[in-house]
């Protein structure tokens, strides 16, 4: 199937159940992104700041870009003028930095807190107790140029379906609890981003309303930089 066919069939699958589809275009060239764009896709995810900035400059301005990879504080300034959502917030320090640059750009930047749910030491993210600590802090309460829209999580890379299901279940339960306790008056806390190509069906069953799909749309990634393709 072509990229356009993949977008159409995934939209048919996700639109009726109100699950948002992020097309993860990391390492993919502009022409392939345009194929998805021409099929109606407007939400794209990237994990590297420099690649994201290059693509933002080159591609149509009505694309909404989501950063889904680890963000270093000293790189926030490059994406603050245009980023639609930062899904990978994993510290209060980073949130403060995003707030500072959002303010400089007269913007409020939508963020997700990335939660550590996988059984893998290589993955980034906040623990459940760290999220609560962050949300209770005076520093967080004072930030007026960021808006926490929800949570993001990456499950363990495993063939054991039960484990993936349990991790997503745990994150959904935590999301509901956080919403009840800290965002009851705030209907914009409404995004639960979980599910990638290998596990998005399980994620949706467990209550995800945003999936991040790369290889299902664009095919397997060859590990090289998109500029050199
Ligand atoms: C690369 C990536 C994805 C997409 O991965 P696929 O397996 O190609 O769907 C989703 N989320 C994050 C955080 C990623 O880095």
């Amino acid at each position: 199937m072509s990229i356009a066919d993949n977008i159409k069939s995934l939209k048919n699958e996700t639109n009726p159940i109100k699950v948002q589809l992020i097309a993860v275009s990391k390492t993919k060239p502009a022409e392939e992104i345009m194929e998805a764009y021409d099929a109606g896709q407007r939400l794209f995810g990237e994990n590297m700041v420099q690649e994201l900035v290059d693509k933002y400059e080159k591609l149509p301005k009505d694309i909404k870009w989501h950063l889904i990879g680890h963000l270093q504080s000293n790189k926030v300034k490059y994406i603050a003028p245009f980023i639609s959502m930062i899904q990978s917030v994993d510290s209060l320090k980073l949130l403060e930095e995003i707030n500072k640059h959002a303010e400089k750009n007269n913007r409020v930047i939508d963020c997700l807190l990335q939660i550590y749910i996988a059984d893998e030491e290589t993955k980034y993210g906040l623990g459940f107790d760290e999220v609560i600590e962050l949300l209770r802090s005076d520093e967080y309460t004072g930030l007026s140029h960021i808006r926490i829209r929800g949570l993001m999580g990456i499950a363990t890379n495993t063939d054991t379906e039960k484990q993936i299901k349990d991790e997503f279940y745990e994150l959904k339960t935590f999301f509901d609890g956080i919403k009840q306790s800290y965002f009851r008056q705030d209907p914009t806390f409404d995004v639960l981003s979980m599910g990638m190509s290998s596990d998005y069906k399980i994620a949706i069953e467990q209550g995800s309303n945003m999936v991040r799909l790369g290889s299902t749309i664009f095919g397997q990634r060859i590990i090289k930089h998109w500029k050199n393709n």
Side-chain angles (χ1 to χ4, degrees), residues 24 26 68 154 196-197 212-215 221:
V24 176
K26 61 191 186 195
I68 59 170
I154 305 171
M196 326 191 354
S197 291
R212 309 175 309 271
L213 304 185
S215 46
R221 282 180 296 278

Side-chain angles (χ1 to χ4, degrees), residues 143-171:
L143 303 177
S144 53
H145 290 265
I146 53 96
R147 182 166 65 163
I148 296 185
R149 293 290 312 275
L151 307 179
M152 185 270 261
I154 305 171
T156 303
N157 184 8
T158 172
D159 292 332
T160 314
E161 215 176 280
K162 166 92 168 63
Q163 181 174 356
I164 297 169
K165 190 175 155 187
D166 289 350
E167 289 173 0
F168 286 149
Y169 175 81
E170 224 185 321
L171 183 54

Side-chain angles (χ1 to χ4, degrees), residues 67-209:
L67 186 77
I68 59 170
H70 182 64
L71 178 58
Q72 288 170 287
S73 293
N74 62 358
K75 295 198 173 163
V76 173
K77 57 178 178 286
Y78 301 116
I79 59 171
F82 69 87
I83 196 76
S84 178
M85 184 180 275
I86 299 174
Q87 297 204 9
S88 42
V89 174
D90 56 5
S91 72
L92 176 60
K93 177 172 162 276
L94 178 59
L95 203 56
E96 290 175 312
E97 196 65 17
I98 296 168
N99 186 74
K100 185 175 104 189
H101 289 282
E103 183 166 14
K104 279 188 188 163
N105 286 279
N106 278 314
R107 303 186 63 211
V108 173
I109 296 182
D110 281 349
C111 296
L112 302 181
L113 298 177
Q114 180 172 352
I115 313 300
Y116 181 86
I117 53 170
D119 191 14
E120 284 169 35
E121 283 180 14
T122 52
K123 301 253 157 91
Y124 291 98
L126 294 156
F128 292 164
D129 46 348
E130 290 175 306
V131 174
I132 291 163
E133 194 182 324
L134 186 156
L135 294 174
R136 283 188 177 160
S137 67
D138 293 339
E139 290 89 342
Y140 163 68
T141 316
L143 303 177
S144 53
H145 290 265
I146 53 96
R147 182 166 65 163
I148 296 185
R149 293 290 312 275
L151 307 179
M152 185 270 261
I154 305 171
T156 303
N157 184 8
T158 172
D159 292 332
T160 314
E161 215 176 280
K162 166 92 168 63
Q163 181 174 356
I164 297 169
K165 190 175 155 187
D166 289 350
E167 289 173 0
F168 286 149
Y169 175 81
E170 224 185 321
L171 183 54
K172 169 69 160 89
T173 305
F174 184 66
F175 173 83
D176 291 340
I178 290 292
K179 190 171 171 61
Q180 264 300 313
S181 305
Y182 299 95
F183 295 92
R184 208 175 321 168
Q185 318 289 356
D186 183 358
T188 67
F189 184 89
D190 61 357
V191 179
L192 181 56
S193 172
M194 54 184 203
M196 326 191 354
S197 291
S198 58
D199 56 22
Y200 79 93
K201 287 177 196 283
I202 306 172
I204 290 172
E205 276 169 19
Q206 295 306 317
S208 167
N209 60 20

